[in-house]
Amino acid sequence: MNEKDYIARYEKRNFDAPLVTVDAVLFTYHEGFLKVLLVKRSAHPEKGKWALPGGFVSETEDNSLEATANRKLKEKTSVIPPYLEQLYSFGGPSRDKRGWSVTVAYTALIAHQCCASAINTVSSVDWLPYSQISQLSLAFDHQEIISRAHERLVQKALYTIVPAFALPETFTLPELQQVHEAIIGKPIQKKSFRRRIEQANLLVDTGEKRSEKGRPAALYRLSESSADHKFIRNLEL
Amino acid sequence: MNEKDYIARYEKRNFDAPLVTVDAVLFTYHEGFLKVLLVKRSAHPEKGKWALPGGFVSETEDNSLEATANRKLKEKTSVIPPYLEQLYSFGGPSRDKRGWSVTVAYTALIAHQCCASAINTVSSVDWLPYSQISQLSLAFDHQEIISRAHERLVQKALYTIVPAFALPETFTLPELQQVHEAIIGKPIQKKSFRRRIEQANLLVDTGEKRSEKGRPAALYRLSESSADHKFIRNLEL
DNA sequence: ATAATAGTGTCTTTCAGACATTATCTA
DNA sequence: TAGATAATGTCTGAAAGACACTATTAT
């Protein structure tokens, strides 16, 4: 038999396959806190519990796993996040009561204001402070997924400026530092933080300033491909 | 309907689900070369092409994705590798002609001698130098998976001593440096390499020496949990 | 002027790069 | 002793930590 015939006769449903879902841990920064987007489950299983936004891969709608993640996030926030990165795949016989399942988890970042309206209009979707999540009873193994996502985000905060995607398009350096500090959970030396960003040319000065109390701060935006930049030396943890 | 009833009535086969496989990029170091284990496909699809060791998740045999990876590697090498880490999941409608598929890829490392006998006895499994793989026509998207695995291994070589798992349990420092150099593809300063390993206490001196030509080199083994150690500063690329 | 916040100067510390030097083995 | 390889000494340079200092706004 040649390959063409083999493919023609192949029947997926003759084989037992795990369930495949995609889940996203969407972080933002708001009012001093690192927050995670959670969705209250309206259907079985785990009905009524908070869970990560996500769901089954659609063979017709999705051209990639990333597409599934973006589609699911858009359903809940009405926008596609500016930063999305695959985190890890979790699989096993008992993480979902329906049977052997795999979820491909993504980490995403977005500015809080970007989807504030979409979220405030429904009660089943909300931002929860990361620090409080460990006290909740989440669906499936989502507690573990979130903690793994946070772990990785901490690392990113030490050698990239990826956390900038949790802020609006323009932001001040003190704001960016606050995000980093909220993520890693301890203060950073202002000088070290600014020096490395300047030397690597990761930000573009918009020329504008933002003033609240005290001296106005310069407003920056991310420069081209600065999301990919890795410092060769980490900040101290 | 309560959750129990829902689960009892749930029928996976009513839903179309992607195929789920696990593939492993198993690296080793031998005779100056970084090599990858490949398997010649004996069945459709992609029959006759070199491919990564891997296959479908078995809902009955496997308790996790890692278990699938280890099972598949053991089938080919007769041993379970000392280092196994999830790399990335690749998914899409066209990477496998049988339909929308997901593969969870792992990176693994093992000493060459560990599985030399199992591999030499069959012609369908072999170590191929990493540098030659890009010229082969591999099955599925395995070319991309290998190149992604290598990318990650290069990074690991710059801030961990994970490459030590490509060597036997005891090894010399010059050997370890050679592995790192084979991975990153350029020479490393001997002093820098040794200094950081010594300061972080990552190796244990066995007290023995190995002599070929010139001064005998001390034999070391990995110390407890040194696989998890991350240097805060990378070596130069 | 004072308080508040933004931003800089500069000294110290840490650790990798460079490369010369010494040590220990075999032939 | 010469050649080979292992291991160390030590100076330089780059970048982070620490923290004092200056700058710019509002009241």
Side-chain angles (χ1 to χ4, degrees):
Chain A
M1 183 162 66
N2 65 23
E3 177 165 280
K4 210 171 157 186
D5 291 341
Y6 167 82
I7 299 291
R9 288 181 208 175
Y10 187 83
E11 249 313 325
K12 286 209 297 194
R13 302 205 180 183
N14 293 342
F15 304 92
D16 225 12
L19 300 165
V20 181
T21 56
V22 173
D23 290 304
V25 185
L26 179 61
F27 288 101
T28 197
Y29 177 76
H30 186 56
E31 293 175 342
F33 292 97
L34 181 69
K35 299 186 177 182
V36 176
L37 190 80
L38 292 180
V39 177
K40 203 152 235 163
R41 284 188 63 82
S42 61
H44 289 303
E46 312 269 8
K47 189 171 175 176
K49 286 192 181 175
W50 286 107
L52 291 170
F56 291 103
V57 169
S58 160
E59 304 205 4
T60 53
E61 293 171 85
D62 302 328
N63 244 302
S64 63
L65 293 164
E66 201 171 305
T68 310
N70 275 325
R71 180 171 58 81
K72 287 291 168 184
L73 283 171
K74 193 166 180 190
E75 282 176 14
K76 300 301 177 191
T77 64
S78 80
V79 289
I80 289 178
Y83 184 83
L84 180 74
E85 193 195 18
Q86 196 182 298
L87 169 65
Y88 195 79
S89 295
F90 300 80
S94 48
R95 49 175 304 283
D96 184 319
K97 287 173 186 149
R98 290 168 291 191
W100 224 105
S101 67
V102 172
T103 195
V104 183
Y106 280 79
T107 302
L109 297 172
I110 200 168
H112 183 267
Q113 56 161 54
C114 251
C115 43
S117 62
I119 287 164
N120 290 334
T121 52
V122 287
S123 63
S124 63
V125 182
D126 210 357
W127 291 111
L128 282 99
Y130 171 75
S131 58
Q132 291 174 23
I133 285 176
S134 63
Q135 287 133 48
L136 301 176
S137 164
L138 301 190
F140 309 110
D141 52 358
H142 289 186
Q143 193 74 249
E144 184 192 349
I145 296 175
I146 292 170
S147 107
R148 185 95 64 129
H150 181 255
E151 240 171 66
R152 186 103 125 230
L153 188 57
V154 168
Q155 292 307 310
K156 293 266 179 198
L158 297 177
Y159 67 85
T160 72
I161 51 162
V162 160
F165 289 98
L167 290 173
E169 247 197 86
T170 68
F171 51 85
T172 68
L173 275 171
E175 278 171 345
L176 182 55
Q177 184 172 343
Q178 282 166 33
V179 179
H180 279 254
E181 290 173 339
I183 290 169
I184 70 179
K186 56 163 281 193
I188 295 170
Q189 285 287 337
K190 180 167 55 171
K191 183 68 184 189
S192 307
F193 186 73
R194 303 173 77 107
R195 193 168 32 199
R196 62 201 327 239
I197 289 175
E198 179 174 37
Q199 282 183 0
N201 250 284
L202 297 180
L203 298 182
V204 178
D205 193 333
T206 64
E208 287 170 71
K209 309 261 176 200
R210 168 178 307 159
S211 190
E212 298 195 21
K213 284 182 294 187
R215 176 174 172 177
L219 277 168
Y220 296 88
R221 74 175 72 252
L222 281 171
S223 66
E224 196 59 38
S225 80
S226 56
D228 302 323
H229 183 270
K230 296 176 185 186
F231 297 101
I232 59 160
R233 186 166 165 185
N234 284 14
L235 292 175
E236 267 181 11
L237 195 54
Chain B
M1 184 161 64
N2 65 22
E3 176 164 280
K4 210 170 159 187
D5 290 341
Y6 167 83
I7 299 292
R9 288 181 207 175
Y10 187 82
E11 249 313 323
K12 285 210 294 193
R13 302 204 181 183
N14 293 342
F15 303 92
D16 225 12
L19 300 164
V20 181
T21 55
V22 173
D23 289 305
V25 186
L26 179 62
F27 289 101
T28 197
Y29 177 76
H30 187 55
E31 291 173 344
F33 292 97
L34 181 68
K35 299 186 176 181
V36 176
L37 191 80
L38 292 179
V39 177
K40 203 152 235 164
R41 284 189 63 81
S42 60
H44 288 304
E46 312 268 8
K47 191 171 174 177
K49 287 193 181 175
W50 286 108
L52 292 170
F56 291 103
V57 169
S58 161
E59 303 205 4
T60 51
E61 292 171 85
D62 302 328
N63 243 303
S64 63
L65 293 164
E66 201 170 305
T68 310
N70 276 325
R71 180 171 58 81
K72 287 291 168 184
L73 283 171
K74 192 166 181 190
E75 282 176 14
K76 300 302 177 190
T77 64
S78 79
V79 290
I80 289 178
Y83 183 84
L84 180 74
E85 191 193 20
Q86 195 181 296
L87 170 65
Y88 195 78
S89 295
F90 300 80
S94 48
R95 48 176 304 281
D96 185 320
K97 287 172 185 151
R98 289 168 290 190
W100 224 106
S101 67
V102 173
T103 195
V104 182
Y106 280 78
T107 302
L109 297 171
I110 199 168
H112 183 267
Q113 57 161 51
C114 250
C115 44
S117 62
I119 287 164
N120 290 334
T121 54
V122 288
S123 63
S124 63
V125 181
D126 209 358
W127 291 110
L128 281 99
Y130 171 75
S131 58
Q132 291 174 23
I133 285 176
S134 62
Q135 288 132 51
L136 302 176
S137 164
L138 301 190
F140 309 109
D141 52 358
H142 289 187
Q143 193 75 247
E144 184 193 348
I145 296 175
I146 292 171
S147 105
R148 184 95 65 129
H150 181 255
E151 239 172 66
R152 185 103 125 228
L153 189 56
V154 169
Q155 292 306 311
K156 293 263 179 199
L158 298 177
Y159 67 85
T160 71
I161 52 162
V162 160
F165 289 98
L167 291 174
E169 245 195 271
T170 68
F171 51 85
T172 69
L173 274 171
E175 280 172 344
L176 181 55
Q177 184 173 342
Q178 283 166 34
V179 179
H180 279 253
E181 290 173 338
I183 290 170
I184 70 179
K186 57 162 281 190
I188 296 170
Q189 285 289 336
K190 179 165 55 172
K191 184 65 184 193
S192 306
F193 187 73
R194 303 173 77 107
R195 193 168 31 201
R196 63 203 322 243
I197 289 174
E198 179 173 37
Q199 282 183 359
N201 251 286
L202 298 180
L203 299 182
V204 178
D205 192 333
T206 64
E208 287 170 72
K209 310 263 176 198
R210 167 178 306 158
S211 190
E212 297 196 20
K213 286 182 293 186
R215 175 172 173 177
L219 277 167
Y220 297 88
R221 73 176 72 253
L222 282 170
S223 66
E224 196 60 39
S225 82
S226 56
D228 303 322
H229 183 270
K230 296 176 183 183
F231 297 102
I232 59 161
R233 189 167 163 184
N234 284 16
L235 291 175
E236 264 180 13
L237 195 55

